[in-house]
Amino acid sequence: MLIPLPKHFPSFILVTTFLFLSGSLCAQQPKIAFETYGVREGLPKESAYSMIQDEQGFIWVASNGLVKFDGDQMQVFRGNSDWEDISVRNLEGGLLMSKNGQLWMGGVSGGGGLFSFDPRTERFTAYPIDPADSAKIPFPSCNLLLEDVTGDIWFSSSSIDGEAKYLCRMDPVTQRVSRYPYQFSENRMNSIILNFKIAESPQDSSLWINAEKSTKLMRFNRREDRFELIYEKGKGFPGSDIVDSIQDITPAGKSGLIPAGNSRNLYLLDPLQRKIVKNFAFPGNRDGIWGGTAFEDQHDNIWHTSSEHITRIDLKTSEEVRYTLGEGELRFDIAPEEVWSVAPMFQNEDYIIFWVAMDDILSSLSFLRYNFKSGDFDYFDDKFNYPENEFTGGINSILMDHSGLLWLSSLHYMFKEAPKRGQIAHYRHNAKNPTSLHNDSITRFFEDSRQRLWIGTTNGIALLKTDTAFEQKFSGPGNNSENSIGLIFKIFEDSGGQIWVATLDNGLYKWKEDGGFFIEIRTGPDIDLIPDIEEDASGNICLLYTSPSPRDGTK
């Protein structure tokens, strides 16, 4: 039976009947929990140097061998079963997936070299190493850099002692290697910045390097198979009076412009005109061992980072927004004077994740996440604000899979984001703690329009006051436990913001906001059990209730 009650106030809210409390309702700081994968879970070694996801959704991991992970089981590949001469080990030199679906990997120590792997046939190809043959890989230590627009694979190769190094290009079809006498001490970091010393532009398919200890900017001449000098430090850039040092260059985005510069200056290079078309100065930045890093995002912005500032520049208007570590939007638990470098680690249409490094070997990292939708930054410490995460070393790479979950690779384990683990908080009654939940038998949850969380139990109702503190509410003033309103069937907010509570045996209650307690609403004789409350189009509050049968007295 339905009976109407007059309506006094308006609003709406969503009712949820989960039996667990989501930590996201009460979290004051974002945190991300991760599951840990190591040898016990199937990795051939605790180290996961790099990872990638293919179009079918498989996660491929470079470790002590190549690992294929389907989300349940890991399969390790170390060579071809019918050709034991191929031994794939210690793949610290990176992992790439080419446009034709081939996986490329580099080894840097025992079992080193350059390898490709066909996921369809599950077979490796090992490429010959011969220091004396200029058409072959010079040394076993190989670090991958990129696949260029023609499908050629670029990598650096160095002797075991590191004294001899080459920049190399391989044609996968002919397997011919070209060597160039330029030494890169930096290895590939990620697809946004590569190694800070090599860049390609989609505008004209040109490839550029920053060579000779950052004193020469050079462009690759494909016809002549050599690099041409475009700019040399101190001699002026063509078409400008720039004589500055260019410490870093990074791949061009959809604008086609190549970001270049240092901690105090950003230059945008037009590869077609072969000149600087825009430049921005940051005289307040301090010089550091690590030069300023610039890159283009997916929203027509150029970003520039230094050890103390992050600057976002609108490519269309040249408008600058400058953020300072430790101030304003970046007022987090960071000591700016201790920061060694800030650089991008991951980006997509929704986020950019920056690392904040406290040393030159990236062993101590915290993270900043920029949200394009809100325009805000979030700060994550070295455990992504979740102390139970088992991070024991620096993070090598970040991957976001097709479902939106983060994966991390490191020298100690591989990690996968665990949303359920990170969002569930456990609350229980503790007789010694007066602010704990008063009853463990939860019947209803309800978040009102003021974002207050109400918890209905089999013996009364409580409000969540802080992340860990609850306050039971009673019928009438005071905190007399005898005035508990009983088993809660439903918590409801009408269109005026008035809170109503229906109970099993005690009838209907209305929340008195200025008093901080509930008032019993008399609904008539024999109306105790009220399973539901709704509001009709006229604003009347309607109750579903049961009453004794006039014939036999049963309900």
Side-chain angles (χ1 to χ4, degrees), residues 55 195 246 448 523:
E55 292 182 354
N195 71 337
I246 294 179
D448 65 21
T523 54

Side-chain angles (χ1 to χ4, degrees), residues 140-189:
S141 183
C142 297
N143 283 281
L144 286 166
L145 293 171
L146 77 154
E147 177 192 23
D148 68 19
V149 293
T150 69
D152 290 348
I153 302 298
W154 292 79
F155 59 98
S156 62
S157 182
S158 59
S159 58
I160 298 298
D161 59 12
E163 293 298 321
K165 296 181 181 180
Y166 288 95
L167 173 64
C168 300
R169 175 177 63 90
M170 172 181 280
D171 182 332
V173 177
T174 65
Q175 299 187 13
R176 179 180 177 83
V177 173
S178 297
R179 303 177 183 178
Y180 309 96
Y182 306 110
Q183 299 189 8
F184 291 153
S185 58
E186 300 85 358
N187 297 328
R188 173 189 167 108
M189 296 290 184

Side-chain angles (χ1 to χ4, degrees), residues 228-527:
E228 302 171 335
L229 179 64
I230 302 299
Y231 168 70
E232 187 171 4
K233 179 184 177 182
K235 294 187 177 181
F237 206 97
S240 74
D241 56 356
I242 295 172
V243 295
D244 198 6
S245 65
I246 294 179
Q247 291 178 290
D248 296 335
I249 62 172
T250 54
K254 61 182 180 181
S255 71
L257 302 177
I258 294 177
N262 51 51
S263 61
R264 295 176 184 266
N265 296 282
L266 165 63
Y267 308 112
L268 297 181
L269 169 66
D270 186 322
L272 281 175
Q273 302 182 56
R274 302 188 186 186
K275 69 177 186 179
I276 301 297
V277 292
K278 289 186 179 182
N279 64 284
F280 303 89
F282 314 106
N285 288 1
R286 68 173 186 260
D287 288 328
I289 300 174
W290 197 291
T293 300
F295 66 98
E296 184 174 340
D297 66 23
Q298 299 179 25
H299 297 271
D300 300 318
N301 298 301
I302 292 288
W303 294 75
H304 180 273
T305 68
S306 68
S307 59
E308 53 192 335
H309 299 288
I310 298 176
T311 305
R312 175 170 53 85
I313 303 168
D314 188 313
L315 269 174
K316 296 178 181 178
T317 65
S318 295
E319 180 183 356
E320 299 180 27
V321 179
R322 188 170 171 87
Y323 307 96
T324 302
L325 293 181
E327 299 179 10
E329 295 89 341
L330 301 185
R331 187 182 293 277
F332 300 118
D333 187 18
I334 302 174
E337 65 278 3
E338 298 178 6
V339 174
W340 190 81
S341 68
V342 178
M345 203 166 189
F346 168 84
Q347 72 159 321
N348 62 13
E349 291 185 351
D350 301 316
Y351 300 104
I352 300 174
I353 297 178
F354 299 87
W355 84 55
V356 181
M358 301 301 177
D359 57 43
D360 60 350
I361 59 174
L362 308 185
S363 63
S364 177
L365 295 179
S366 53
F367 305 90
L368 293 170
R369 181 179 66 185
Y370 179 77
N371 186 319
F372 281 103
K373 185 175 181 179
S374 67
D376 297 326
F377 283 91
D378 292 318
Y379 171 76
F380 297 92
D381 62 18
D382 59 352
K383 292 186 180 294
F384 275 84
N385 299 340
Y386 195 81
E388 288 77 13
N389 284 332
E390 300 179 50
F391 301 162
T392 57
I395 303 301
N396 292 333
S397 64
I398 295 180
L399 164 73
M400 180 174 286
D401 66 21
H402 300 336
S403 66
L405 296 180
L406 288 178
W407 295 70
L408 312 177
S409 68
S410 77
L411 293 179
H412 303 283
Y413 310 120
M414 176 177 77
F415 304 93
K416 176 188 176 183
E417 184 179 352
K420 293 182 180 179
R421 180 182 171 200
Q423 295 178 2
I424 299 299
H426 190 190
Y427 297 103
R428 300 186 63 179
H429 173 64
N430 182 350
K432 296 181 180 180
N433 181 5
T435 64
S436 70
L437 192 61
H438 72 280
N439 189 297
D440 287 340
S441 298
I442 310 298
T443 59
R444 291 290 184 271
F445 284 122
F446 183 77
E447 187 180 25
D448 65 21
S449 58
R450 301 188 182 189
Q451 297 184 328
R452 296 176 299 186
L453 187 67
W454 298 82
I455 302 97
T457 75
T458 56
N459 184 26
I461 189 169
L463 266 176
L464 179 67
K465 303 298 289 185
T466 68
D467 281 1
T468 58
F470 299 82
E471 184 176 335
Q472 187 177 2
K473 298 301 181 180
F474 301 92
S475 173
N479 296 325
N480 188 347
S481 59
E482 293 182 359
N483 292 334
S484 168
I485 62 177
L487 190 153
I488 309 301
F489 255 162
K490 184 167 184 178
I491 309 168
F492 177 76
E493 182 176 17
D494 66 24
S495 57
Q498 176 64 56
I499 302 297
W500 303 82
V501 177
T503 69
L504 174 64
D505 296 316
N506 296 333
L508 179 69
Y509 289 84
K510 174 182 175 181
W511 176 246
K512 183 174 174 57
E513 196 70 56
D514 57 358
F517 55 85
F518 284 95
I519 300 172
E520 184 178 3
I521 304 298
R522 298 189 178 277
T523 54
D526 300 322
I527 300 178

